[in-house]
Amino acid sequence: MLMLDRRTLLRAGSAAAAALAPTAPALARAPQAGKQAQPGFYRFKLGTIEITVISDGMLEFPAETLWGDRAEDARGLLTSAFQPPSPVGLQLNTILVNTGGKLVLVDAGGGIDGKFQKTAGALPANLAAAGYAPGDIDLILLTHGHSDHLWGISDRENASLLFPSAEFVASETEVKFWNSPELTAKVSPALKPEVTRANLKLAGPRLRLIKAGAEVAPGVTTIDTAGHTPGHMSVHLSSGSEELLLTADAVVNSTVSFQHPEWPFGFDQDVPLAAKARIAFLDRAATNKTLVGGYHFPFPGFGHVVREGSGYRWLPADWRWTT
């Protein structure tokens, strides 16, 4: 017969209790960082042109702001595409084009120090990370006058320009619109047309006005996509046989704007004309199989458009790793 003394029983009980007790979690060698890494820049070649997308951060809006009465339908589409339905994030992908003779920045972001939204304003830091200074920029092409494309040309107080030697190029129709309080009377107060006017005034001495369709630098040609704003322009880049279409705000969301380009978009000034321009842009890209760069698409925003049913689908391009 197995005989257990009192000491053996106590030892067994202690071991059982220790086995049942919760254990302290194992600690990693480094604590969790808790801060998201932000995309800075992405670079590739288009023929002999060097393209660098410079992130200015992102914006966030309720679906109701972007699609109005279609907000619930839009949330459903975003959810089915595994995209956050609320708030809706819009990246800010400014494009730097080095033609070899000119350094051209297409749009300038939403402005430093949270001038428009606190999640924007990363352009100066990311421009430096990409190896450039504001003084290196020869020309800034402004696709239109909305805050997230224009306000980045100046400081927090809209008192001085951040790009000391850049020429500014914009549509004469667009500039006329924003410089007229009568014409901008129906613009949403959230867009602060008075701030856009202040920035255009700052740029005035170096501002060149063009009509859509003009080539502003070798291989950099504007496209008339009016509707989102009266003088809204998209951009066509070309070098040899290679091409790239830049959306500006003709096409804004990589899911909703593709599946239902006919739906009104909240910041479109002329809704029917903007929808017509959006469909024409997508149709051109799909027909010609042209590479597309989306100003508000997930970073870095490059890919292709294919037709799908009565709408379109966005196919992001693989990143091109170069040395």
Side-chain angles (χ1 to χ4, degrees):
M1 181 181 296
L2 180 64
M3 303 294 293
L4 298 176
D5 59 21
R6 183 171 177 272
R7 184 176 296 174
T8 302
L9 286 172
L10 287 174
R11 270 201 301 266
S14 298
L20 293 173
T23 58
L27 296 178
R29 290 184 180 275
Q32 294 180 354
K35 186 177 181 181
Q36 180 60 275
Q38 299 297 325
F41 68 94
Y42 172 69
R43 181 175 287 137
F44 67 95
K45 294 294 287 290
L46 185 82
T48 61
I49 291 176
E50 184 177 75
I51 306 290
T52 307
V53 56
I54 310 284
S55 174
D56 187 55
M58 69 177 296
L59 305 176
E60 291 183 329
F61 294 101
E64 284 77 9
T65 300
L66 300 181
W67 292 289
D69 293 341
R70 290 286 191 174
E72 193 59 36
D73 295 328
R75 276 192 288 268
L77 292 177
L78 293 168
T79 300
S80 68
F82 302 99
Q83 295 181 20
S86 182
V88 181
L90 301 178
Q91 299 288 328
L92 300 175
N93 300 321
T94 66
I95 302 294
L96 194 62
V97 183
N98 193 330
T99 69
K102 289 276 189 182
L103 190 59
V104 179
L105 180 65
V106 181
D107 286 326
I112 60 174
D113 300 327
K115 191 194 299 193
F116 183 51
Q117 285 192 10
K118 64 181 181 179
T119 49
L123 175 61
N126 288 332
L127 187 67
Y132 296 101
D136 295 332
I137 308 299
D138 297 306
L139 186 153
I140 298 179
L141 173 58
L142 300 167
T143 62
H144 62 296
H146 281 165
S147 48
D148 53 323
H149 296 255
L150 170 65
W151 290 7
I153 68 172
S154 68
D155 62 7
R156 180 67 178 85
E157 290 74 31
N158 309 296
S160 61
L161 295 170
L162 298 180
F163 299 88
S165 54
E167 177 188 24
F168 299 94
V169 178
S171 157
E172 61 181 23
T173 302
E174 188 75 3
V175 171
K176 179 181 179 181
F177 172 77
W178 288 102
N179 278 335
S180 170
E182 293 78 21
L183 292 176
T184 55
K186 294 183 180 180
V187 169
S188 168
L191 293 175
K192 298 182 179 178
E194 70 280 2
V195 178
T196 293
R197 279 194 288 274
N199 278 274
L200 289 173
K201 183 178 180 180
L202 276 178
R206 288 189 259 145
L207 181 60
R208 172 161 54 107
L209 301 181
I210 63 168
K211 295 183 184 294
E215 183 178 52
V216 300
V220 183
T221 304
T222 57
I223 305 169
D224 183 0
T225 46
H228 181 66
T229 59
H232 184 277
M233 301 182 297
S234 299
V235 183
H236 177 252
L237 303 178
S238 64
S239 178
S241 62
E242 296 192 41
E243 298 177 86
L244 171 63
L245 288 170
L246 302 179
T247 63
D249 279 4
V251 188
V252 176
N253 180 268
S254 60
T255 295
V256 179
S257 301
F258 278 70
Q259 294 187 38
H260 287 283
E262 77 282 4
W263 285 2
F265 181 71
F267 294 114
D268 287 343
Q269 194 68 28
D270 184 325
V271 171
L273 187 60
K276 182 179 178 180
R278 188 158 42 249
I279 293 168
F281 183 98
L282 291 169
D283 188 68
R284 173 177 175 174
T287 299
N288 298 335
K289 298 183 168 63
T290 310
L291 182 67
V292 169
Y295 188 78
H296 288 301
F297 296 176
F299 183 87
F302 297 105
H304 289 88
V305 180
V306 295
R307 292 185 180 85
E308 186 171 77
S310 59
Y312 302 86
R313 182 160 54 96
W314 174 243
L315 294 178
D318 288 342
W319 285 39
R320 305 180 188 181
W321 295 102
T322 58
T323 57

